[in-house]
Amino acid sequence: MRKIILSGIALLFSISVFAQKTYIHAGKLLDVRNMTMLSEQTIIVENDKIVSVSAGYLNPDSGDAAIDLKARTVMPGLMDMHVHIEGETSPTRYVDGFRENEADVAFKSIFFAEKTIMAGFTTVRDLGGSGVNIALRNAINSGKVVGPRIYTAGKSIAPTGGHADPTNGMKRELMRDPGPDEGVINGPYDARKAVRQQVKFGADLIKVTATGGVLSVARDGSAPQFAQDELDAVVQTASDFGIMVAAHAHGDEGMQRAVKAGVTSIEHGTMMSDETMDMMKAKGTWLVPTVTAGMSAAAFAEIPGYYPDVVAEKAKRIGAQIQETFGRAYKKGVKIAFGTDAGVFPHGENYREFIYMTEVGMPNLEAIQTATLTNAQFLGIEDKLGSIEVGKLADIIAVDGDPEKDIKVMKDVVFVMKEGKVVKQ
């Protein structure tokens, strides 16, 4: 009996060591590197990696698994470079902060993370929250929570009264005087401390609000918010840590200061001039357009009482300009990274960005490329993600229909695999 038990244990051990392979039969497979559509392909996944991509439908070996996606279009997991995973738009958003504890935010963020990955987005960049985003990232990485791979900025950095000052709109007794620990700076010394503090908290990158914003309870939505020496200090300190800086910016002067400082990306870029586009091309600065956020904010502003008056006025005036600016920047040759600002609109509707991008001239497959291979290059992880190629992590999704002919099929993702594990089928 003891020998039988030991043999059984040995068998279980051998099964766990020599895990089964998964054969994915793809009716159509999007080659995002060459922007071509391949037919009747077999992707073989072992553990968390892609080990083979072959023409035809290969038969799995005994003990291996097969996933039938012969009637679907298969592509790499999508990436969104601008989300706010801790919250979501709501008419009560501006009072929720006075009623919700950190635990409330954390539990909601789990729901938003699941909505995001179920929409096919297996990697995101979270650009500012309370710090719950760092804990959520860690919980997902350790397998405790289902959600996308998160690269997070932790808390955004702003000047006093700036777009990410957490006390904007409060009465005097509650305003206090937040400092670098809370992401509020005044001068280069504060700037360096705030960056170091976010790194200490566990941030993967830094986010600064280079201009005013639309949804903050502050009257200006576009004027520059940092002096040049402050931005220079932020970027230099982040560079010393080997991490990127993303700059929220709607107004042109603030963008130019951020580009001069050497930020990696401009987020939104609403009022960007041709001169700024030329600067970005020369410096290699990326644009993350977030067209969906602008269009959504403008629409919500038409609903009486949805936003405070000061926010509604900015949303109507600024929001809808983003799509036209994106179109000009794309045609001018500015580098584009796919990002939506999900949270400003409901999580899970990230697909809308594809529609807005293609409406102003970007071909369907190129739009998908920005959300896959291009974003992997942007993050510096092209060796691991961004395409369905041998040796890469098995982040794979599928949709019904042909996105080359109809980009709207990106709305309904029917299959999601992240690192070889099926999340949705």
Side-chain angles (χ1 to χ4, degrees):
M1 176 64 73
R2 184 172 179 272
K3 288 183 178 180
I4 294 173
I5 292 172
L6 289 173
S7 296
I9 292 172
L11 177 60
L12 288 172
F13 177 75
S14 67
I15 291 173
S16 65
V17 171
F18 302 103
Q20 68 174 195
K21 295 177 182 177
T22 300
Y23 285 60
I24 299 174
H25 293 151
K28 291 183 177 179
L29 173 61
L30 178 54
D31 176 355
V32 293
R33 190 173 296 280
N34 299 301
M35 285 192 286
T36 57
M37 198 71 76
L38 307 175
S39 297
E40 297 185 1
Q41 302 284 306
T42 298
I43 307 161
I44 302 178
V45 174
E46 186 171 11
N47 297 320
D48 60 349
K49 291 203 173 58
I50 298 165
V51 297
S52 173
V53 182
S54 305
Y57 296 136
L58 305 183
N59 293 321
D61 295 330
S62 176
D64 291 335
I67 296 174
D68 183 0
L69 298 176
K70 294 176 183 175
R72 284 157 177 167
T73 299
V74 176
M75 65 190 75
L78 304 172
M79 303 182 185
D80 190 329
M81 294 298 97
H82 192 132
V83 305
H84 296 280
I85 206 77
E86 290 185 14
E88 189 172 86
T89 184
S90 161
T92 64
R93 174 178 176 265
Y94 294 91
V95 295
D96 287 345
F98 295 95
R99 300 185 297 203
E100 294 180 343
N101 297 305
E102 189 176 56
D104 298 311
V105 174
F107 277 110
K108 287 201 302 184
S109 73
I110 294 170
F111 174 64
F112 299 142
E114 185 173 358
K115 285 177 69 176
T116 300
I117 196 168
M118 292 303 174
F121 288 82
T122 57
T123 303
V124 300
R125 211 173 48 141
D126 182 285
L127 289 192
S130 66
V132 164
N133 43 23
I134 294 172
L136 178 64
R137 176 203 62 196
N138 295 343
I140 291 171
N141 288 347
S142 64
K144 298 182 178 70
V145 173
V146 174
R149 185 179 298 101
I150 295 176
Y151 294 84
T152 180
K155 168 71 177 65
S156 298
I157 295 174
T160 295
H163 180 53
D165 182 332
T167 64
N168 282 339
M170 296 182 182
K171 64 180 182 177
R172 290 283 183 89
E173 295 95 311
L174 299 177
M175 274 187 177
R176 301 175 289 106
D177 184 20
D181 285 1
E182 296 171 272
V184 179
I185 70 171
N186 293 280
Y189 177 86
D190 277 359
R192 288 189 285 271
K193 183 176 181 182
V195 170
R196 291 166 182 158
Q197 191 68 54
Q198 289 307 312
V199 173
K200 179 180 177 180
F201 288 150
D204 302 299
L205 64 139
I206 297 299
K207 158 85 172 296
V208 294
T209 58
T211 76
V214 173
L215 298 184
S216 54
V217 187
R219 65 184 181 185
D220 178 75
S222 60
Q225 295 200 330
F226 288 105
Q228 191 67 55
D229 62 347
E230 293 171 320
L231 286 170
D232 291 345
V234 167
V235 173
Q236 182 58 59
T237 308
S239 178
D240 288 344
F241 282 108
I243 59 177
M244 66 172 66
V245 176
H248 156 104
H250 290 294
D252 199 52
E253 172 61 27
M255 285 181 228
Q256 292 197 9
R257 294 182 192 180
V259 173
K260 287 175 184 175
V263 299
T264 307
S265 62
I266 295 293
E267 312 293 315
H268 317 304
T270 310
M271 301 171 185
M272 187 184 296
S273 66
D274 287 345
E275 180 186 0
T276 301
M277 292 177 191
D278 289 336
M279 288 177 60
M280 292 174 69
K281 287 177 63 178
K283 294 270 286 187
T285 312
W286 294 77
L287 171 64
V288 182
T290 69
V291 180
T292 310
M295 304 295 276
S296 299
F300 286 132
E302 297 296 335
I303 302 172
Y306 193 92
Y307 293 137
D309 289 345
V310 66
V311 172
E313 185 277 327
K314 290 185 293 179
K316 291 176 184 178
R317 177 169 46 86
I318 296 173
Q321 297 181 44
I322 294 181
Q323 188 179 33
E324 185 274 336
T325 303
F326 158 70
R328 286 192 296 110
Y330 164 66
K331 289 164 186 171
K332 201 168 181 66
V334 175
K335 294 195 295 185
I336 305 295
F338 182 100
T340 68
D341 212 355
V344 170
F345 60 92
H347 292 283
E349 294 184 9
N350 314 55
Y351 74 92
R352 292 167 53 193
E353 194 79 11
F354 292 117
I355 297 172
Y356 295 131
M357 294 170 87
T358 56
E359 282 178 348
V360 290
M362 181 177 276
N364 291 9
L365 295 189
E366 187 175 351
I368 296 172
Q369 186 186 57
T370 67
T372 51
L373 183 64
T374 301
N375 273 353
Q377 294 167 342
F378 171 68
L379 286 174
I381 55 173
E382 185 186 357
D383 60 327
K384 299 177 182 178
L385 291 164
S387 58
I388 296 177
E389 295 177 304
V390 174
K392 293 196 174 185
L393 291 173
D395 278 25
I396 298 169
I397 69 166
V399 298
D400 286 327
D402 186 347
E404 186 172 18
K405 297 176 181 176
D406 181 9
I407 197 66
K408 293 183 179 67
V409 303
M410 298 302 293
K411 176 181 179 180
D412 297 311
V413 172
V414 296
F415 173 84
V416 179
M417 171 183 280
K418 179 189 171 194
E419 295 186 12
K421 296 179 181 178
V422 176
V423 179
K424 179 181 183 180
Q425 186 174 6

